[in-house]
Amino acid sequence: MLAFGDNYDTPNKYILEESEIGNLQVLFKKYSINSGKEDFPQSAIDCFNDGAIENKPEKKLLDYIGGLENLLVKEKSMKKRSLLTKRTANFIGKDQNDWMNILKNIEYAYELRNKIAHGSKGETSLSKCKEYSNRMENYARQSINKWLDMVDKGLTKQDILNSIEIVPFS
C-alpha cells in the first residue's frame, strides 16, 4: 500500500502489509538471481529509486520518465517521446482502453517533462506534476516488474524489445 496523503514535502512512504510479503520475497529473489545478467534493468531501477526518494514532484516526474526511457528506448532518436509512449502502452496495456489511456498520459507527462527540462517550469502547474509523477511512477513500477519477470523466464533484452514492437490492440 503506497501512502501518499497528498504530502509531497517528503518522499513517498510505503507501508508493507502482511499480505504483500510473499510477493515482495519473490521480487527480491528475482532481483538477486538476475541482477548480474547483461539484460538486467539496473539503470531503470536506479532512476525509479531516485524518483521514489525525491521530494519535488517535478524531479520525480523527470526520474520516472528517465527510468522508462532507460528501460524501453535504447535508440538515440529525435522520436523518443513517440517511442516511449507506444512501447510503454504496448508493454503494460491490459486492454485497448488501458492502452489508449497510457498513450495519452505519457504524451502529456512528456510535455510536462520537456517544459521542466528545457526551462519552461513556470508553465507547469504543481498539481499536474504531482498527478503525472504518480502516473509515471505506476507505469515505471509495472514496466520494471514485467521486465524482471521476463528476464527471469530467460528472455533477452532484444526478445523483450521485439515483443513490444507489436501493437496488441489495433
Side-chain angles (χ1 to χ4, degrees):
M1 157 193 294
L2 203 50
F4 289 109
D6 212 22
N7 181 1
Y8 289 89
D9 297 329
T10 61
N12 293 335
K13 303 279 188 259
Y14 192 84
I15 300 169
L16 185 63
E17 295 181 356
E18 191 172 342
S19 62
E20 298 173 307
I21 292 173
N23 288 338
L24 196 56
Q25 288 173 325
V26 169
L27 177 65
F28 285 141
K29 185 176 180 180
K30 287 179 187 176
Y31 182 92
S32 62
I33 289 171
N34 295 296
S35 63
K37 292 182 179 177
E38 180 183 337
D39 299 329
F40 190 75
Q42 190 61 55
S43 60
I45 291 170
D46 290 343
C47 287
F48 180 85
N49 287 338
D50 289 346
I53 61 173
E54 178 56 59
N55 292 334
K56 296 180 180 176
E58 300 92 340
K59 290 186 177 180
K60 286 176 143 343
L61 181 71
L62 294 175
D63 288 333
Y64 294 138
I65 289 176
L68 283 167
E69 285 177 339
N70 277 318
L71 191 65
L72 301 173
V73 182
K74 303 301 179 188
E75 303 88 349
K76 303 286 184 219
S77 171
M78 296 299 289
K79 298 179 181 180
K80 230 177 209 191
R81 176 197 309 214
S82 176
L83 291 171
L84 180 67
T85 302
K86 290 174 186 164
R87 288 179 180 168
T88 306
N90 290 355
F91 196 48
I92 62 171
K94 294 170 185 63
D95 56 37
Q96 189 166 10
N97 189 44
D98 190 38
W99 187 76
M100 290 299 294
N101 284 331
I102 292 168
L103 288 175
K104 288 188 279 187
N105 287 331
I106 292 180
E107 187 69 32
Y108 187 80
Y110 214 91
E111 280 183 42
L112 288 174
R113 175 234 172 258
N114 284 345
K115 288 177 182 178
I116 294 164
H118 300 296
S120 303
K121 191 174 174 184
E123 297 176 23
T124 62
S125 77
L126 186 59
S127 65
K128 288 293 181 189
C129 286
K130 290 176 183 179
E131 176 184 349
Y132 282 89
S133 70
N134 286 338
R135 290 178 187 194
M136 295 307 104
E137 177 185 21
N138 182 36
Y139 296 156
R141 181 185 314 276
Q142 288 180 58
S143 296
I144 290 168
N145 282 331
K146 186 169 182 177
W147 190 284
L148 287 174
D149 285 341
M150 295 172 88
V151 167
D152 192 52
K153 291 175 183 169
L155 276 76
T156 66
K157 175 174 38 180
Q158 196 56 54
D159 294 335
I160 297 168
L161 292 173
N162 288 343
S163 76
I164 59 178
E165 290 302 321
I166 301 163
V167 179
F169 312 102
S170 52

